[in-house]
Amino acid sequence: MTEPIAKILVPFKSVPDPYAEATPGGSASTAKAVINPFDEIAIEEALRIRERGEATEIVGLTIGPAAVDEQVRAALAMGVDRAVRVDDARALDPYAVARILRAAVEKEAPQVVLMGKQAVDDDSNQAGQMLAGLLGWPQATFVSKIELLENGARACCTRETDGGLEVIEVNLPAIVTTDLRLNEPRYVSLPGLMKARKKPIEVLTCEQLGVQVEPLTTTLSIARPPKRAAGARVESVEELVRKLKEEAKVI
Amino acid sequence: MTARTLILVEHDRREVKRPSLHAITTARALGGDYALLLLGQGLDEMASSLVSYGAAAVLVADDEALAEPLADRYAVVIAQAAQKLGATTLIGHSSTFCKDILPRAAALLDAPMLTDVVAIEEKDGATTYQRPVSAGTMLATVQLAGEKRVLIIRASAFAAPATDAASSPIERLEVDGSSLPGGTRFVSREERVSDRPDLTEARVVIGGGRPLRDKESFDRLVGGLADLLGGAIGATRAAVDTGLAPNDCQIGQTGKVIAPELYIALGISGAIQHLAGIKDSRVIVAINKDPDAPIFQMATYGLVGDVHQVVPQLIKALQQS
Ligand SMILES: Cc1cc2nc3c(=O)[nH]c(=O)nc-3n(C[C@H](O)[C@H](O)[C@H](O)COP(=O)(O)OP(=O)(O)OC[C@H]3O[C@@H](n4cnc5c(N)ncnc54)[C@H](O)[C@@H]3O)c2cc1C
Ligand SMILES: Nc1ncnc2c1ncn2[C@@H]1O[C@H](COP(=O)(O)O)[C@@H](O)[C@H]1O
């Protein structure tokens, strides 16, 4: 067994439930908020690393208004040791998030920052890589397997890329972003949630973190894209082949 | 040499990835000079293949230290190249390669960044960008502050660039390997050889979902149909998670986005996360045994039936015709 590597910081975002759209009449605007699925995977992985005795403390951190405290409690209920909310109600872009996270990393001094590869509301896939760039730390993105080596001096990470799987080693401290197949997050029990209600949430402002950021991207509007027209039913394989040949002319 | 725009060209160590060249079309629409940038080792042949796209230069960072695409090194070289050129715009295309490296370069350049841009509009001196959000269920219109910008475009939203008769000069960038970050080490890559076309470039794609059940059925039905039509194979997250198909076959919000002439969805429910990746296919065929499956709302042609019965029939019918 390796020596514990001390501390893992897990930044997580509160997003509309990604499964809400799938239900008839559901939409992101009415969906209940949840922890971003990729960040839930990051929390789960941190817990597993601690359970293997390779980490001493997991700090969960989110940037958002008081309304996201419910997701902070969910993170505490999953098992993070301590939770911080940076109180900021503005619409932040990933670069603003990364600059705030840099200040938080400088304060907390973790050995690993484990975070989602993408927030499923803005689908940007940027904040982790930007944070790594700002800190000058190594990064391993889209990770589906993490192994700590040499008492936490390095991490061996398997990455899911367009071409297949790739393995890299990064010196710690480093940023690791999670992909879907890293793990399956545990189920949060009701008693766990009740207990988490009593745990304190540390609330900090950007000012207290000594960071001042203005988002550089502004969303002017969000609209539903034009809907693809529903097509026709075909009754048989023969009809399908005929339509593909004669009507659509694709085969 | 100066250029307004720097384009990151992706390759697989053998050849240039064609979708990455669609960024040239974006650069032309934005106006001003553009340079192409290749990083890696042993790039001469690929560099020569890029001289007819009207670029002010084809920049080549060819060095042992760049043999593997490690984000910490690549981002530094890209940011330095942009600064040297005085480029205010840096463009790549939606791929794991660009998404790994360009946000890091954006942070080094202190520039705002957008991923998955599908349209750019310039009106009254202001530029707005459109990009899908929330698994493609919504389209956001966004504005950026300042002069600098890093854009990752969806190749399917920008046409392949026409070539130019003039020949661009090839310029080597000096790379000092010892000054680059050294905290990352490449270990291995799983090389998958396939006779099938690349998923994001294929004219025909066959996608398989959870009901394909086992690898043998997946390969026989999805693979069989793909080979008959000269297509690529794709899969849902559920199919990849259960080991029916490799991870790089996943189509959707968090996998690949495709825009083929023909997409055939076999036993796929049509969750928004999957639809996010197939919306721009010209013709969508769905075969699903549930007449109410959401995929039918998006399909050009829908056939209600069991894939285990219908697909062998379809393969036979296509073989005969
Ligand atoms: C954060 C996040 C990201 C995600 N990203 C992606 C992504 O990128 N890509 C993706 O695909 N998914 C993604 N998903 C998962 C997505 O929500 C769905 O769970 C997944 O697409 C379902 O896959 P499926 O259609 O194969 O399986 P199921 O939902 O199980 O659907 C199977 C379908 O097959 C039909 N069927 C069953 N048996 C047969 C038969 N014998 N013959 C014919 N039809 C049959 C059923 O009626 C059903 O419609 C993501 C989810 C989350 C939360
Ligand atoms: N408001 C936030 N608070 C904390 N972490 C965040 C926030 N927004 C984004 N992140 C982290 O950055 C990752 C990538 O987000 P994005 O670049 O927006 O797709 C997410 O998976 C989170 O881990």
Side-chain angles (χ1 to χ4, degrees):
Chain A
M1 210 188 71
T2 53
E3 282 291 304
I5 59 150
K7 201 190 234 178
I8 302 177
L9 181 72
V10 188
F12 61 93
K13 186 181 189 184
S14 171
V15 300
D17 184 351
Y19 286 114
E21 277 276 343
T23 54
S27 84
S29 53
T30 56
K32 71 174 194 324
V34 297
I35 297 174
N36 178 41
F38 290 98
D39 304 345
E40 214 180 0
I41 290 169
I43 293 171
E44 175 65 35
E45 195 63 21
L47 297 175
R48 291 185 189 188
I49 292 171
R50 189 187 62 196
E51 284 158 8
R52 287 201 297 267
E54 296 175 352
T56 51
E57 192 186 26
I58 302 166
V59 181
L61 182 143
T62 193
I63 308 162
V68 308
D69 277 349
E70 202 175 329
Q71 285 69 59
V72 180
R73 293 238 153 69
L76 285 164
M78 280 181 80
V80 308
D81 296 300
R82 201 148 65 67
V84 181
R85 178 169 62 80
V86 179
D87 189 50
D88 197 324
R90 294 175 298 169
L92 298 173
D93 57 26
Y95 189 41
V97 166
R99 284 175 289 164
I100 295 171
L101 291 179
R102 169 175 55 181
V105 166
E106 279 161 1
K107 177 167 182 283
E108 295 283 349
Q111 277 66 50
V112 181
V113 179
L114 246 172
M115 57 199 285
K117 78 165 180 182
Q118 104 191 45
V120 298
D121 51 357
D122 66 57
D123 281 337
S124 288
N125 199 330
Q126 295 174 10
Q129 299 88 310
M130 288 173 160
L131 176 61
L134 291 174
L135 292 165
W137 287 10
Q139 71 184 51
T141 52
F142 325 143
V143 164
S144 61
K145 190 173 176 213
I146 307 172
E147 237 181 308
L148 297 177
L149 308 170
E150 289 170 29
N151 297 341
R154 288 179 296 136
C156 183
C157 300
T158 302
R159 308 179 55 230
E160 293 203 2
T161 71
D162 288 343
L165 299 177
E166 184 182 293
V167 181
I168 60 171
E169 274 178 17
V170 290
N171 292 346
L172 301 187
I175 312 290
V176 177
T177 78
T178 62
D179 216 318
L180 290 172
R181 277 167 283 278
L182 181 58
N183 61 50
E184 240 178 89
R186 67 198 57 191
Y187 175 76
V188 173
S189 67
L190 203 58
L193 261 177
M194 300 306 284
K195 250 204 272 167
R197 295 218 172 277
K198 298 195 192 83
K199 293 197 197 172
I201 300 171
E202 182 185 356
V203 179
L204 289 174
T205 60
C206 284
E207 206 168 49
Q208 285 168 320
L209 275 174
V211 53
Q212 211 187 359
V213 298
E214 286 302 325
L216 298 176
T217 70
T218 313
T219 300
L220 302 175
S221 65
I222 297 191
R224 282 208 179 267
K227 228 181 145 149
R228 212 187 146 99
R233 291 288 161 103
V234 293
E235 297 304 324
S236 66
V237 164
E238 291 68 38
E239 189 187 347
L240 176 62
V241 173
R242 191 162 6 95
K243 291 234 153 126
L244 289 176
K245 277 197 169 146
E246 290 161 18
E247 198 174 84
K249 299 188 165 60
V250 277
I251 58 170
Chain B
M1 222 257 310
T2 60
R4 181 187 185 201
T5 301
L6 179 63
I7 297 170
L8 176 61
V9 177
E10 180 175 354
H11 62 84
D12 61 6
R13 288 168 301 283
R14 286 175 290 272
E15 53 186 37
V16 163
K17 293 248 177 208
R18 272 175 296 164
S20 78
L21 299 180
H22 293 215
I24 294 170
T25 304
T26 316
R28 286 176 182 165
L30 292 174
D33 280 348
Y34 50 90
L36 306 179
L37 173 60
L38 268 177
L39 298 90
Q41 190 181 20
L43 302 170
D44 291 351
E45 224 170 283
M46 283 189 271
S48 316
S49 78
L50 294 174
V51 297
S52 51
Y53 288 100
V58 176
L59 305 176
V60 182
D62 194 324
D63 194 274
E64 203 186 343
L66 302 175
E68 297 296 342
L70 301 177
D72 50 2
R73 297 181 177 190
Y74 272 44
V76 168
V77 175
I78 293 165
Q80 283 171 354
Q83 274 157 344
K84 215 171 126 212
L85 281 176
T88 48
T89 302
L90 174 60
I91 315 183
H93 77 116
S94 295
S95 67
T96 53
F97 169 77
C98 289
K99 287 184 176 178
D100 182 42
I101 293 164
L102 287 181
R104 188 171 178 123
L108 299 182
L109 292 166
D110 192 30
M113 166 163 194
L114 297 174
T115 11
D116 292 321
V117 174
V118 294
I120 303 175
E121 203 178 324
E122 305 211 32
K123 214 163 73 190
D124 311 324
T127 308
T128 57
Y129 308 83
Q130 290 199 325
R131 55 181 303 270
V133 295
S134 301
T137 58
M138 304 298 265
L139 198 60
T141 303
V142 189
Q143 216 165 31
L144 301 179
E147 277 289 283
K148 291 183 279 188
R149 57 190 165 178
V150 179
L151 307 175
I152 286 187
I153 56 126
R154 280 250 175 107
S156 56
F158 296 85
T163 50
D164 205 286
S167 177
S168 312
I170 296 177
E171 280 185 30
R172 294 184 78 86
L173 290 178
E174 282 310 315
V175 178
D176 174 13
S178 64
S179 73
L180 293 174
T184 315
R185 198 168 72 80
F186 174 83
V187 177
S188 64
R189 170 183 301 114
E190 158 198 77
E191 288 288 357
R192 204 174 295 115
V193 271
S194 168
D195 296 334
R196 299 195 180 109
D198 190 284
L199 185 51
T200 53
E201 297 176 51
R203 208 187 68 85
V204 176
V205 175
I206 317 296
R210 195 195 311 263
L212 273 308
R213 284 199 307 250
D214 50 57
K215 234 182 146 320
E216 188 275 323
S217 312
F218 194 96
D219 292 343
R220 182 167 44 84
L221 301 178
V222 181
L225 207 48
D227 291 342
L228 208 51
L229 296 172
I233 58 165
T236 62
R237 174 192 175 182
V240 175
D241 283 359
T242 49
L244 300 179
N247 70 287
D248 51 298
C249 284
Q250 184 175 313
I251 298 172
Q253 179 192 19
T254 53
K256 289 179 179 163
V257 173
I258 60 168
E261 283 289 296
L262 173 63
Y263 178 59
I264 304 183
L266 305 176
I268 289 176
S269 59
I272 55 157
Q273 291 87 3
H274 187 74
L275 299 183
I278 65 166
K279 279 190 177 131
D280 294 326
S281 309
R282 186 167 76 81
V283 175
I284 297 176
V285 172
I287 300 176
N288 191 303
K289 73 173 182 191
D290 174 7
D292 296 323
I295 187 86
F296 285 128
Q297 293 167 22
M298 166 121 8
T300 324
Y301 303 113
L303 178 59
V304 177
D306 185 327
V307 288
H308 297 283
Q309 284 157 15
V310 173
V311 181
Q313 288 171 18
L314 182 57
I315 289 177
K316 211 160 160 201
L318 289 169
Q319 277 167 339
Q320 282 164 0
S321 66

